[in-house]
Structures are given as C-alpha cells and as structure tokens.
Amino acid sequence: MRLLYLLNISNPGRLSADSGFTFADLLTPALADAGVDVTVAAPAPAGDARVGFAPTLSPSTKYRARLDPGLDELVALVRRTRPEVVVANQIETAPAIRAALLEAGTDARIAGYCHYLPFSFTDDGDLALDPSLDDGSLGRSVLLSFTAGLAACDRVLVHSSTAASWTTAAADRMGVDLAEKLHVVPAPRDERLVRDPADTVPSDGHAAGIYNHRLYAHYGTARFTQLARHLVTEAPVRLTVMDLFGTRSPERLRLDPSPEQHRDELAALDGVTIASDRGDRVRYRNLLAGAHFGIAPFRPGCPWPMSVVDCQGMGLPVIAPRTGWPAEHIDDDLLFDTDDEAVQIARRLATDAEFGLGEHRYSH
C-alpha cells in the first residue's frame, strides 16, 4: 500500500515542540515495518530512512495552514506519489485533498488525524470556540472548515473518548454524519520517554514539579501562573517550567506574543525555574526524570496533551484540573477544582512517597 502523510509543521525551528511532527516521527517507521510504502510531505523529514520525503514549505501562520492548502501543489504531489491512502494531519485541508485526488484521477482514501480540536464544550453543553483560532473573529470560519474536513474524510481518528464525543456533537450540529468512520486511536507514546518504575526517585519531603506545555494564553497559562504562585509558597514544592519554543519568528510573535509574556512573568516567581530542552530529546528526558510530578494545562479543548503522556511514560503522576479529557484520563486522586485542592495534592506528593509512587501515576 502507498500512503501519503501530509504533515503540517507549525514550528519548523523547534520540531520537538510540534506534536504533529512527533506523531509522524513515531508512526511512519511503524507503518514501514508493516510493509507500507510511506511518503511524508512536510517542511522537514520524519521517520527513518525507509520513509520517503517530499519537501513542502512551512506555512507562516496557523491560518495559512488551515485556509490556504495550495491545491496546485497538492495535485502535483498526488500525481507524483500515486497514493492509495492520504493522511491529513490538518483536517481543514481534507476538502482540498479530495479535490486534488479527483483532478489527479485517483480514488485514494483520506484519513483525518484530529490531533487538536478548534472548539470545546462547556459543562452546560455549549460549544465554545478555541480562542487560539479566533483572531479577527475567524473562529467560526475555522470551525466550519474543520467540519467540512470531517465530511471529506473516509476515516476520522481522534485520541480519546472526550474528543470523540465532542467531535460527534460538533459534526451533528453542522449536519455532518460521522457514522462508522470515527475511531478512537490514542496518540503514540514515545518509547524514548519510558522509564522503569524501579528507577523512579521518591520525594523526601520536598517535590519537584514540571510544567512541559506550550505557554500560549489559550493553554490557560495565566491560570497556571496563578496556581504556580500558590504551589511554591504553600507547599514544599519547586517548579520547572519549560520554554518549548525558544526564539520564534517575527510573524508568529506578531500574531500571538503571549508565550514570551507568560515566560517572563513565570521567570520572576521565586521557586520557579525556566528551562529549555533546546530541541534535544535526551535533555528533555533528563528534565522529566528530575521531577516528581507533572501538571496538566488548563486548556479546555485539549483532547490529548502529549506532554501529559510524556510525564506518565516517565512514571510521573500528573495533577490536573477536573475538566475535559483530564477528567476522563487521570486518576481522581490527582484531579482538583481549586488551587487549595491542588496544593493539598502537591503537598501529599512531596511528603507521602507511597502516594507519589502509586499505580495512579499511570494512565487508565
């Protein structure tokens, strides 16, 4: 089987911060092991030497990635690679992919991989647009494009039951029947970030926490900063906050300067250290290995944060707000509704070694 994996890379300068690249880098060698002839079309190669590479330009903004698929280039790429299956890492591009397949005269199937959702649902069942994609009130247009992409796919893959129920509900509201084509396929785990439980170092009355998520405002970073102040002043805890981006391009800074603003605010807190893995997976592993627990983001629309999975693979319990996917995935003893509850959990992780090393640190 010939498979074309269309990979959008939003951060070409720091590939380790791009979950879509990480997924492709893990999945495509496994597909090659299964005898699939894989070509990755992306700004940077992913996978091993058996995986073909078709270089593409990186979109300068997240909106170009969703609204400017480059139909001429797609048609030429399809004619060159003659795929039987196309993986659309950017769901919004699926209609353009379908049009390119028609123009190229092939009936290849399209599998859409929903590694993000441009919306979430409140506890009252109201659909909320993701603020990260609502600049200039574009959020509803992106949602409509996303739904059109769902309609154009033959298979739709989501990471969790929460993402499946939200995606189905959004599609229903737009008159798109997902029927039998929606499947829950958890994100791949990076085997380089798996640690033997026997190598986990217990806390000794003090605990090191790590926050390894992007510092965008829409990840709830202001809410995390508030929590960080409580944790370092009210519990025997020190925190490491990862700067995953480093120096971003001027175009991305103009569109959203929030990561740099939040990084500077967090760096000013006593008990908080800003650290970078500099794009080095070994350094990233060592940073995780030096922690006793992780902290999930406050982003409502996170259907499956890979950073949480990274922590769990390294044997770290992850504390999380009781909302969305974390409430589905993380043990109840590690969920909180208020900062006071989070402080109590962190204090217990610091002082109760048995609790910190318990089975609840792993995913269900």
Side-chain angles (χ1 to χ4, degrees), residues 159-162 184-187 189 304 308-309 311-313 316-318 320 322-335 355 358-364:
H159 295 328
S160 65
S161 297
T162 298
V184 177
V185 181
R189 172 170 286 172
W304 184 280
V308 169
V309 179
C311 286
Q312 291 176 326
L316 304 182
V318 177
R322 193 188 308 274
T323 182
W325 172 79
E328 167 197 336
H329 176 75
I330 292 176
D331 191 272
D332 192 66
D333 286 344
L334 298 172
L335 297 174
F355 178 68
E359 291 184 359
H360 61 262
R361 69 182 180 274
Y362 299 114
S363 59
H364 295 312

Side-chain angles (χ1 to χ4, degrees), residues 5-340:
Y5 199 121
L6 297 175
L7 176 59
N8 163 56
I9 294 177
S10 58
N11 300 285
R14 189 63 67 90
L15 294 175
S16 62
D18 193 294
S19 60
F21 177 82
T22 300
F23 293 171
D25 202 38
L26 296 172
L27 287 172
T28 50
L31 289 166
D33 288 342
V36 179
D37 181 0
V38 186
T39 297
V40 173
D48 55 34
R50 298 168 299 166
V51 176
F53 173 51
T56 61
L57 295 177
S58 177
S60 58
T61 73
K62 55 193 170 185
Y63 293 109
R64 279 188 176 270
R66 289 161 174 82
L67 305 177
D68 184 16
L71 193 53
D72 289 341
E73 292 81 3
L74 277 174
V75 172
L77 181 61
V78 168
R79 285 175 173 161
R80 194 163 63 247
T81 57
R82 299 177 297 109
E84 297 168 89
V85 174
V86 179
V87 176
N89 191 60
Q90 200 77 58
I91 293 294
E92 293 90 342
T93 63
I97 295 169
R98 178 68 69 195
L101 294 174
L102 285 171
E103 190 169 328
T106 178
D107 59 355
R109 291 181 173 272
I110 302 174
Y113 206 178
C114 301
H115 68 283
Y116 78 98
L117 299 178
F119 59 88
S120 61
F121 280 90
T122 68
D123 292 339
D124 295 328
D126 296 328
L127 187 149
L129 299 174
D130 190 322
S132 72
L133 294 167
D134 197 24
D135 303 285
S137 300
L138 276 168
R140 186 153 298 279
S141 296
V142 172
L143 173 61
L144 291 171
S145 297
F146 183 89
T147 308
L150 296 177
C153 289
D154 298 291
R155 297 288 187 275
V156 175
L157 311 181
V158 295
H159 295 328
S160 65
S161 297
T162 298
S165 64
W166 285 358
T167 301
T168 300
D172 286 346
R173 294 185 182 203
M174 304 297 173
V176 175
D177 182 11
L178 296 181
E180 301 299 318
K181 66 182 181 181
L182 181 68
H183 301 271
V184 177
V185 181
R189 172 170 286 172
D190 189 343
E191 296 300 325
R192 296 168 294 184
L193 301 176
V194 176
R195 179 170 56 170
D196 187 325
D199 295 331
T200 305
V201 179
S203 58
D204 58 358
H206 291 79
I210 191 163
Y211 186 81
N212 55 333
H213 307 279
R214 302 176 184 186
L215 298 180
Y216 286 123
H218 63 268
Y219 270 70
T221 312
R223 181 68 183 81
F224 164 70
T225 303
Q226 173 187 310
L227 173 62
R229 289 193 181 95
H230 285 274
L231 288 175
V232 297
T233 58
E234 300 172 23
V237 163
R238 66 183 188 278
L239 296 178
T240 295
V241 174
M242 292 197 60
D243 174 15
L244 295 173
F245 288 143
T247 302
R248 295 189 302 147
S249 69
E251 292 82 8
R252 295 187 183 281
L253 278 171
R254 281 195 295 271
L255 193 59
D256 186 353
S258 63
E260 288 73 18
Q261 294 168 353
H262 286 304
R263 181 189 61 199
D264 293 345
E265 185 177 3
L266 284 160
L269 298 179
D270 290 336
V272 174
T273 299
I274 305 297
S276 172
D277 62 6
R278 299 192 289 270
D280 184 336
R281 212 64 174 164
V282 173
R283 179 174 171 80
Y284 179 50
R285 177 190 170 89
N286 290 338
L287 286 167
L288 295 181
H292 297 106
F293 69 94
I295 305 173
F298 285 84
R299 184 182 184 185
C302 267
W304 184 280
M306 179 152 247
S307 297
V308 169
V309 179
D310 293 343
C311 286
Q312 291 176 326
M314 292 293 291
L316 304 182
V318 177
I319 69 174
R322 193 188 308 274
T323 182
W325 172 79
E328 167 197 336
H329 176 75
I330 292 176
D331 191 272
D332 192 66
D333 286 344
L334 298 172
L335 297 174
F336 59 85
D337 294 300
T338 67
D339 285 1
D340 287 343

